[in-house]
């Protein structure tokens, strides 16, 4: 069969590349309209919405390892019409706009380019939105609209250089194979030209050493380490170099945050200076226990994960006295500044009664977390200190 031949050709190319042995490009397909039973690439997810899919990672997955497995990785699409199959032989990534030569790259072309790899957290801007009080509209995510993976691909910069960026370019717009209903605007996000031409931004074709699941953006997705996932455009097939800032809906209207520290405004406020959401800020979580009873006077072993945002995790600390004193946790292996970092700490036994255990992360730039609530009308960027309650009996 022709399909199999094409697959083999691509597999050979993939295996010939340095470092990664990608087990060939298979042509994935999800039959028909995704429904509960039709997410074959994922398992055990919290289904927040069927169409367009919003699938949350159950929190216990984060206690099982620093890397989030592909089949447990959260999924978020804005529009119903998402790619349900992709022909790996005819697929092209087009680069146009303010370039010397518009180009169309096949997957085989991309597999021949120099590869880069990064371990990075992909976190939705609205992760933990269900903790906003008063409640705000949007997906009521708990803390599982995030995940950490090893991403392999090519630099966006290298693809842009192939097309040749012309003077006067100010931004790069990225969009994918999903389609809006009617006249709604295509899902498209832009990065400033300097950011796009930097070393970090990647066009990934592999996630944890495997091709991307369709739901996670097969065959190519943008990875913007340290930035919220709204910029991590999935099923990327179009790159457009712009000579003026992107005034499209998804940059100028959606995903706006207050310019205040921690994007925090008084509950109910709508009239404030805004800017597009961008970099992430530190967060820490306890993963091995939830609120509940514990024997009094017995040590409590705790472990969890932290993320630094756009710089690495420098320390994770816990407090049992409402933040008056903090004790440093031991940090786990360092997978780089954009990755989750594991931590653990055994707290001394506590007297009978109710105790609050707080955990906070501080990043290498000295940014940390605060205990007070955050509010903004879209429910973005929550990083309030997390806590659990322990009833020592
Ligand atoms: N093409 C496309 N890319 C997209 C989106 C989308 O709707 N379409 N949603 C973005 C948002 S808001 C998030 S949170 C992430 C989710 O990535 P994931 O599904 O791999 O978890 O994809 C981003 N990339
Ligand atoms: Mo998102």
């Amino acid at each position: 069969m022709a399909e199999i031949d094409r697959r083999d050709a691509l597999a050979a190319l993939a295996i010939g590349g340095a470092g990664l042995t990608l087990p060939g490009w298979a042509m994935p397909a999800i039959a028909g309209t995704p429904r509960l039973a039709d997410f074959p690439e994922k398992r055990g997810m919290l289904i927040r919405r069927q169409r367009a899919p919003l699938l949350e990672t159950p929190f216990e997955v984060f206690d099982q390892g620093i890397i989030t497995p592909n089949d447990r990785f959260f999924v978020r699409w804005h529009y119903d019409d998402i790619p349900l199959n992709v022909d790996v032989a005819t697929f092209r990534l087009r680069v146009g706009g303010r370039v010397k030569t518009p180009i169309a790259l096949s997957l085989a072309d991309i597999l021949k380019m120099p590869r880069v790899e990064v371990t990075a957290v992909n976190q939705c801007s609205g992760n933990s939105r269900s903790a906003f009080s008063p409640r705000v509209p949007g997906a009521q995510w708990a803390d599982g609209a995030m995940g950490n993976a090893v991403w392999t691909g090519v630099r966006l910069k290298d693809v842009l250089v192939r097309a040749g960026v012309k003077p006067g370019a100010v931004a790069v717009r990225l969009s994918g194979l999903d389609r809006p209903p009617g006249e709604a605007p295509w899902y498209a996000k832009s990065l400033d030209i300097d950011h796009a031409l930097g070393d970090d931004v990647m066009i990934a074709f592999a996630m944890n050493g495997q091709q991307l699941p369709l739901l996670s953006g097969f065959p190519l997705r943008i990875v913007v380490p340290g930035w919220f996932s709204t910029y991590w455009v999935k099923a990327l097939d179009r790159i457009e170099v712009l000579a003026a800032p992107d005034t499209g809906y998804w940059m100028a209207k959606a995903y706006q945050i207050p310019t205040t520290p921690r994007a925090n405004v008084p509950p109910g406020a709508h009239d404030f200076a805004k800017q597009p959401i961008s970099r992430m800020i530190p967060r820490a979580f306890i993963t091995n226990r939830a609120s509940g009873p514990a024997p009094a006077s017995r040590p409590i072993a705790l472990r969890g994960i932290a993320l630094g945002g756009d710089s690495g995790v420098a320390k994770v600390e816990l407090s049992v006295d409402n933040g008056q004193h903090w004790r440093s946790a031991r940090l786990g292996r360092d997978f780089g500044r954009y990755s989750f970092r594991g931590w653990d700490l055994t707290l001394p036994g506590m007297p009978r009664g109710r105790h609050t255990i707080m955990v906070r992360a501080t990043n290498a730039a000295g940014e940390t977390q605060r205990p007070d609530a955050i509010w903004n009308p879209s429910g973005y960027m929550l990083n309030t200190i997390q806590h659990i309650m322990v009833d020592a009996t």
Side-chain angles (χ1 to χ4, degrees):
M1 250 171 70
E3 278 164 27
I4 305 236
D5 291 341
R6 287 199 298 260
R7 250 188 255 176
D8 285 347
L10 288 164
L13 277 170
I15 287 158
L20 181 89
T21 46
L22 200 63
W25 296 87
M27 265 197 280
I30 297 176
T33 303
R35 281 174 298 125
L36 184 54
D38 293 333
F39 298 116
E41 303 172 310
K42 304 281 168 178
R43 70 190 166 87
M45 304 297 284
L46 302 167
I47 315 270
R48 300 280 178 221
R49 187 176 69 194
Q50 301 276 357
R51 290 186 72 191
L54 294 177
L55 314 182
E56 177 164 347
T57 303
F59 202 71
E60 63 265 23
V61 172
F62 301 115
D63 193 48
Q64 292 158 14
I66 282 301
I67 299 296
T68 314
N70 293 2
D71 61 356
R72 310 304 304 275
F73 210 99
F74 87 102
V75 174
R76 194 265 192 269
W77 292 88
H78 288 84
Y79 293 137
D80 286 8
D81 186 358
I82 62 174
L84 297 175
N85 54 72
V86 174
D87 183 339
V88 293
T90 58
F91 176 89
R92 293 291 180 276
L93 171 62
R94 288 173 210 283
V95 186
R98 203 162 184 85
V99 294
K100 295 192 184 97
T101 328
I103 53 173
L105 301 175
S106 68
L107 291 173
D109 293 333
I110 287 166
L111 288 175
K112 282 183 233 158
M113 294 176 63
R115 289 177 188 182
V116 286
E117 194 165 276
V118 69
T119 306
V121 174
N122 174 13
Q123 181 183 211
C124 181
S125 314
N127 191 26
S128 314
R129 183 180 286 123
S130 62
F132 273 70
S133 176
R135 182 189 153 111
V136 292
Q140 296 300 304
W141 301 113
D143 300 323
M146 63 175 182
N148 187 41
V150 182
W151 308 94
T152 308
V154 300
R155 287 198 172 101
L156 172 59
K157 167 176 119 177
D158 291 347
V159 166
L160 290 170
V161 164
R162 268 178 91 143
V165 174
K166 281 208 217 156
V170 302
V172 175
R173 180 158 59 203
L174 310 154
S175 56
L177 295 168
D178 46 333
R179 291 291 169 266
E183 298 300 301
W186 283 26
Y187 188 76
K189 298 294 292 192
S190 297
L191 297 172
D192 287 348
I193 189 74
D194 293 345
H195 193 183
L197 288 173
D199 282 342
D200 272 358
V201 183
M202 181 193 291
I203 300 171
F205 51 73
M207 178 177 179
N208 298 328
Q210 304 287 321
Q211 66 181 39
L212 300 164
L214 260 178
L215 289 165
S216 307
F218 183 89
L220 302 173
R221 86 172 301 168
I222 291 287
V223 168
V224 188
W227 280 39
F228 281 102
S229 33
T230 176
Y231 294 93
W232 298 39
V233 172
K234 299 193 282 186
L236 175 81
D237 73 336
R238 204 177 177 86
I239 298 175
E240 203 186 340
V241 179
L242 305 179
D246 185 353
T247 55
Y249 175 82
W250 292 102
M251 285 302 292
K253 293 272 189 296
Y255 287 102
Q256 303 294 306
I257 55 167
T259 54
T260 52
R262 303 158 75 226
N264 189 28
V265 289
H270 282 269
D271 197 16
F272 45 79
K274 299 181 178 77
Q275 64 189 13
I277 197 168
S278 58
R279 49 186 290 274
M280 297 193 287
I281 52 181
R283 301 192 74 179
F285 303 87
I286 295 166
T287 58
N288 70 325
R289 52 181 306 148
S291 293
S297 311
R298 294 256 197 88
I300 300 183
L302 295 170
R303 63 170 181 260
I305 53 169
L307 63 120
D310 65 349
S311 58
V313 174
K315 71 185 168 185
V316 172
E317 299 161 296
L318 290 95
S319 174
V320 292
D321 60 5
N322 278 309
Q324 291 175 56
H325 302 91
W326 293 91
R327 232 174 241 272
S328 286
R330 179 172 64 177
L331 296 182
R333 192 175 144 194
D334 186 0
F335 291 90
R337 64 205 285 214
Y338 300 120
S339 172
F340 280 155
R341 186 94 188 246
W343 61 265
D344 69 83
L345 180 67
T346 299
L347 291 174
M350 296 190 223
R352 275 175 215 284
R354 170 161 282 201
H355 304 275
T356 302
I357 304 177
M358 298 161 75
V359 61
R360 74 174 181 196
T362 302
N363 70 17
E367 273 181 301
T368 188
Q369 300 180 248
R370 294 170 50 91
D372 46 323
I374 289 181
W375 196 91
N376 56 63
S378 301
Y380 291 149
M381 236 164 117
L382 185 108
N383 87 328
T384 304
I385 290 177
Q386 303 270 325
H387 65 266
I388 58 169
M389 311 287 270
V390 171
D391 287 306
T393 51

